[in-house]
Amino acid sequence: MQRSMHAPVGFKAQHHTLGKRFGRPQLAAVARPNNSTTKDRLLFATDRNSGRKYLVDTGAEISVFPATADQRWLNKPSTFLSAANGTDIPTYGNRTIALRFGNRRFDWTFVVAKVSQPLLGADFLRAHSLMPDVNGQRLVDSTDFTSIDCGITSAHAPHINSVLAADDVYGKLLAEFPSVVQPTFNATAVRHGVEHYITTTGPPLHARSRRLPPDKLQIAKEEFEKMEKLGIVRRSDSPWSSPLHMVPKPDGGWRPCGDYRRLNEATEPDRYPVPNLQDFTANLAGARIFSKIDLIKGYHQVPVRVEDICKTAVVTPFGMFEFLRMPFGLKNAAQVFQ
């Protein structure tokens, strides 16, 4: 990694690494060959919550996160970082993000700045006693020498890498059946033949959008953009609408869904039996081999019946969306999934 402002012949510089100069955090130059890729020369950690890649840089004094276009347009810079050439890099406050690298969870507060790449700096590495191993594409915990695999993973299949690192036999098996860990929600037909019906009484129900704090608003935007690309939601002009509700997930992230309480009151119940957990555990006596299946976006693998899609509409501060796949929070969803 070059710290000079003048990159060697055959290199091009990108200004997004933080150093220290003139008493304030500074952006220096990351140089790499023109015919190379970041995977060849740089170390990235992929957040399993969002699929976002973070550049790991021990030369960075602090960790930074890219500001959105809205933040740059609507807000005045709070402070400035200094680039290696002395130019100012505006910042727009802080943002705390729940991260999951490998099987470890981290909550970290980033400086939001006008940069193109999210960056894990020395503050993050020092706080968690992590040492980068560029050749091994991993972060090593200096306290117990366990490692976090930092190989680049797909945003649609963030769990593959931890399995590949554990055992190559499993990796080969997953490589043979990529659709298992990379579900496609755009398909119109599904093999299991199950659809979610929403049988209601009365006229369409509607609600106004609710305001969200800036951090949750940005998370909600990103999640809906991701779901729209995956084919889980689409833009809506439905006469039905439920307000957006942000539900905290066990891993520290957020799950955007609808506050469907009024819709649920008008929905006829499905009495399909859901197994009792005590009945399940009662059958474990004498068992020696156990297995489990963790479905990727399990509820979203069930399509909503075409006639009922309009009833799932969620109104947000940035538009209205309806779910093509079964969302969380709907009455009878557990019964349909069972």
Side-chain angles (χ1 to χ4, degrees):
M1 185 169 293
Q2 296 291 327
R3 307 303 296 176
S4 169
M5 276 305 300
H6 300 286
V9 176
F11 283 70
K12 59 182 179 180
Q14 290 187 348
H15 302 281
H16 53 210
T17 305
L18 296 176
K20 188 174 182 181
R21 184 180 180 186
F22 306 128
R24 68 163 70 161
Q26 173 200 6
L27 291 186
V30 175
R32 65 174 183 265
N34 288 334
N35 60 353
S36 180
T37 65
T38 54
K39 187 175 181 181
D40 295 330
R41 293 289 183 264
L42 304 178
L43 181 63
F44 287 88
T46 302
D47 175 24
R48 293 176 60 179
N49 290 339
S50 65
R52 186 180 290 111
K53 294 179 293 184
Y54 289 76
L55 175 64
V56 179
D57 186 4
T58 56
E61 183 181 346
I62 58 176
S63 302
V64 294
F65 193 86
T68 64
D70 289 344
Q71 287 174 319
R72 298 197 301 266
W73 177 258
L74 298 175
N75 302 317
K76 292 183 178 180
S78 54
T79 56
F80 290 86
L81 308 174
S82 288
N85 61 359
T87 58
D88 290 333
I89 305 298
T91 67
Y92 304 90
N94 299 322
R95 176 178 174 183
T96 301
I97 302 176
L99 304 168
R100 190 178 179 190
F101 299 132
N103 292 320
R104 291 184 58 179
R105 174 189 162 185
F106 306 90
D107 292 312
W108 196 249
T109 301
F110 291 79
V111 173
V112 179
K114 189 180 179 181
V115 295
S116 60
Q117 173 72 55
L119 175 66
L120 295 178
D123 57 342
F124 177 87
L125 300 174
R126 182 170 53 247
H128 300 99
S129 303
L130 297 175
M131 303 181 298
D133 176 8
V134 179
N135 284 337
Q137 287 286 293
R138 61 178 182 162
L139 291 172
V140 180
D141 191 323
S142 61
T143 59
D144 57 11
F145 296 100
T146 57
S147 62
I148 300 173
D149 184 20
C150 288
I152 299 175
T153 63
S154 167
H156 303 302
H159 301 283
I160 299 178
N161 232 44
S162 59
V163 178
L164 292 178
D167 194 321
D168 189 56
V169 175
Y170 298 141
K172 291 178 180 179
L173 186 61
L174 290 175
E176 186 177 352
F177 303 98
S179 61
V180 173
V181 289
Q182 295 183 9
T184 300
F185 299 99
N186 290 308
T188 56
V190 291
R191 293 183 181 180
H192 52 68
V194 177
E195 291 183 321
H196 182 63
Y197 286 65
I198 308 175
T199 305
T200 56
T201 57
L205 303 171
H206 60 89
R208 299 176 60 183
S209 66
R210 298 171 181 168
R211 297 184 64 189
L212 291 174
D215 56 340
K216 287 187 182 179
L217 178 62
Q218 182 58 35
I219 293 172
K221 283 184 178 180
E222 293 175 356
E223 288 297 321
F224 270 90
E225 288 177 1
K226 187 186 302 181
M227 289 191 293
E228 191 173 9
K229 291 179 181 177
L230 290 173
I232 297 172
V233 301
R234 70 184 179 193
R235 298 281 174 169
S236 175
D237 57 359
S238 170
W240 297 75
S241 67
S242 298
L244 173 64
H245 182 50
M246 299 292 287
V247 180
K249 297 165 64 175
D251 60 12
W254 292 90
R255 176 183 291 118
C257 60
D259 182 350
Y260 291 122
R261 284 178 292 182
R262 292 188 65 198
L263 173 62
N264 290 341
E265 289 177 358
T267 301
E268 295 182 2
D270 181 349
R271 302 302 185 187
Y272 191 89
V274 176
N276 189 303
L277 185 60
Q278 292 180 343
D279 293 338
F280 168 77
T281 55
N283 294 322
L284 294 180
R288 301 177 60 184
I289 299 176
F290 304 88
S291 65
K292 71 172 184 177
I293 298 177
D294 185 7
L295 299 179
I296 297 176
K297 299 184 182 298
Y299 269 29
H300 295 332
Q301 294 191 31
V302 179
V304 178
R305 186 177 66 155
V306 174
E307 295 84 349
D308 296 326
I309 289 176
C310 61
K311 299 176 184 179
T312 68
V314 173
V315 61
T316 75
F318 46 88
M320 190 159 71
F321 301 83
E322 58 191 19
F323 282 82
L324 304 174
R325 299 301 182 114
M326 187 172 70
F328 294 87
L330 284 179
K331 186 175 185 178
N332 303 328
Q335 287 79 3
V336 172
F337 190 71
Q338 181 62 39

